[in-house]
Each structure stands twice: as C-alpha cells, then as structure tokens.
Amino acid sequence: MDSAEDKFCLREVLVSFKSCLLNDDKDVLVEHYLTGWKGLVRFMNTLGTVFSFVSKDAVTKIQIMENYLKGDNGERYRTLRSMVEYELSGNLVDLTKRSSHPDSGCRTLLRLHRALRWLQLFLEKLRTSSEDSKTSTLCSEAYNDSLANYHPWLIRKTASVAFFALPTRNTFFEVMNVGSPDVVVEMLGEALPYVSKVYDFTQELYVQRNLLDLP
Ligand code: 1PZ
C-alpha cells in the first residue's frame, strides 16, 4: 500500500531538497526540507542500529520543527525566511544562552543545517571516490571538516567508533537502491547541487542575521 515505504530510494530523498527551493533559490520551504530529512533518517536506519543515537537526535529535531509547522503560528514557519523573521522580531530566540526559548526553530534548524554540510561533504567524497575507498575514512574526514567542530569530545569519540560500522562502498551504493555504482555516481552528480543550493541559501541567511552560533 505504502509504496514510499518499501521502495526506498536515495534519489527521491535528494530530490526533496530540490523541491524545497523557492523563489529562484532565495528561500526554502520548511515542510519539504523536513521531508528530505525524514528520508535521510530512514536511509540511516537501514545502515544498522549503531547509528540509532544519531537518528534519534535528528528525529527529535525534525519533530520540534514539525510541531511549529502544525502549531497556531504554523504559517510563520512555512519558509526559512519567514521563520527567522518571525522568531527574531518576536524575541523568540535565545541568542547567547539557552533559557526561555531553548528549542527555537532557528537553533533547531541550525543543527540540521550543520549536519547537512556533513552529508554534502560525505556524499561528494563518495561520488568521487575510487572503488577501494574506505567509507569509514571518507565519513570521518567529512565529519571532522564539519559537524565535529560543534560536538563535545564524547560525541566525537562515539561517532568515530560508529563510523567503523559503516558498510563498504559497494554495499552502501546498493542500499541507496538507485542502480549500479555508475548510476549512483551519476545520480549523486545530478542531485548534490540541490543539496548545496539549500545549504548555501541557509548559510547566507544565517550569516546575514548573525545566527550561526546560536546556543
Ligand atoms: C551514514 C552514516 C551516519 C553518520 C552520521 C554522522 C554524524 C555523526 C554525528 C553524531 C551526533 C549525534 C548525537 C547528537 C548530537 C547533538 O548533541 C547535536 C547538537 O544538538 P544539541 O545538543 O545542541 O541539541 N546534534 C547534531 O549535531 C545534529 C546531528 C544530526 C545528525 C544527522 C546525520 C544525518 C545522516 C544522514 C545519513 C544519510
């Protein structure tokens, strides 16, 4: 019945990041951004329980954002621009220390945004890697160049151990359910630019509003 459930395919997940771009790449639809993330979580869950501590945190953050979308002010959370505008003008963001608004949309989305950078780096490395490359190495290089900078020692340690549980490059490509390795490489080449556009827009918006260090 639910064809999306049994036909998991990374191409569709990455395409969600295309469909969340609005107004000539000058805004992002939150709902589709979260759809993309939910697909990524499903993909991560197929990789084994070792990664459940990662997906749990991502799921919590997706839920926080979905609750805003479903809430009374849902319309204000329709796009990233409108969310930032609404939360900042209403003083709904803790800027220096988590206190009265510990889970603002702005800070929650920032965590996903930082993780999207990891994903972008990792998939780009996979795309350009040779057949005998080690996914654990590619993954930890991508992590060290992105998310690790925001994580305390214990999480960095745990993550680096979990990376060893990653499947080989070929298995990884198989679970993406896209086709032969050549087709996966081609698909990544087509789809990653959309992930980059979403990342770049968000980064620019957060730079402009000085939101990159939200606690
Ligand atoms: C495919 C292999 C998956 C490897 C994933 C690489 C990332 C490892 C990061 C592990 C950290 C997760 C534990 C929770 C960390 C949270 O403290 C932080 C900050 O949030 P706060 O504490 O400030 O509320 N959370 C994050 O940094 C968000 C992490 C989301 C990671 C999602 C990874 C997406 C994977 C997609 C797979 C295709």
Side-chain angles (χ1 to χ4, degrees):
M1 228 169 65
D2 190 350
S3 61
E5 201 60 47
D6 40 16
K7 275 203 278 164
F8 175 83
C9 169
L10 195 72
R11 185 197 301 272
E12 283 155 36
V13 173
L14 296 180
V15 165
S16 317
F17 288 101
K18 174 181 181 180
S19 70
C20 75
L21 287 158
L22 272 184
N23 304 341
D24 230 0
D25 308 342
K26 306 258 175 357
D27 211 345
V28 157
L29 269 176
V30 173
E31 189 188 343
H32 293 208
Y33 188 91
L34 299 177
T35 304
W37 268 101
K38 287 192 270 188
L40 291 174
V41 166
R42 274 179 48 212
F43 179 61
M44 201 165 28
N45 289 341
T46 66
L47 296 176
T49 46
V50 195
F51 295 100
S52 58
F53 84 108
V54 183
S55 56
K56 245 193 214 147
D57 187 68
V59 166
T60 304
K61 288 176 167 59
I62 293 165
Q63 270 165 0
I64 292 172
M65 295 307 298
E66 287 193 322
N67 287 340
Y68 283 124
L69 267 182
K70 281 189 291 197
D72 292 344
N73 298 304
E75 190 50 32
R76 310 295 196 107
Y77 287 85
R78 202 175 82 85
T79 77
L80 286 192
R81 245 183 226 292
S82 64
M83 172 188 82
V84 165
E85 209 47 58
Y86 169 67
E87 287 198 340
L88 284 181
S89 62
N91 291 324
L92 299 171
V93 185
D94 288 342
L95 297 172
T96 50
K97 193 167 172 287
R98 283 179 96 184
S99 54
S100 46
H101 303 289
D103 290 323
S104 65
C106 288
R107 76 84 67 187
T108 303
L109 196 115
L110 175 62
R111 271 54 186 179
L112 294 175
H113 171 64
R114 289 169 176 168
L116 196 65
R117 175 72 182 156
W118 164 79
L119 181 83
Q120 187 193 5
L121 294 177
F122 177 52
L123 292 182
E124 180 59 20
K125 279 177 192 290
L126 262 183
R127 184 180 80 83
T128 53
S129 62
S130 57
E131 213 174 316
D132 57 353
S133 303
K134 274 198 155 51
T135 46
S136 55
T137 308
L138 304 177
C139 186
S140 65
E141 284 173 2
Y143 176 72
N144 290 336
D145 288 343
S146 58
L147 267 182
N149 297 306
Y150 308 100
H151 288 164
W153 182 85
L154 188 64
I155 290 184
R156 292 203 306 268
K157 201 72 205 160
T158 313
S160 68
V161 173
F163 294 156
F164 287 109
L166 281 171
T168 63
R169 181 177 178 274
N170 270 343
T171 309
F172 213 90
F173 280 5
E174 273 163 34
V175 289
M176 288 181 184
N177 203 11
V178 170
S180 66
D182 286 352
V183 176
V184 173
V185 167
E186 195 187 304
M187 180 282 286
L188 289 175
E190 279 164 29
L192 280 177
Y194 297 114
V195 176
S196 302
K197 279 186 183 182
V198 171
Y199 179 85
D200 291 346
F201 164 74
T202 313
Q203 181 71 10
E204 179 64 31
L205 179 69
Y206 272 59
V207 167
Q208 278 169 10
R209 311 306 299 260
N210 205 9
L211 296 172
L212 283 178
D213 296 314
L214 291 180

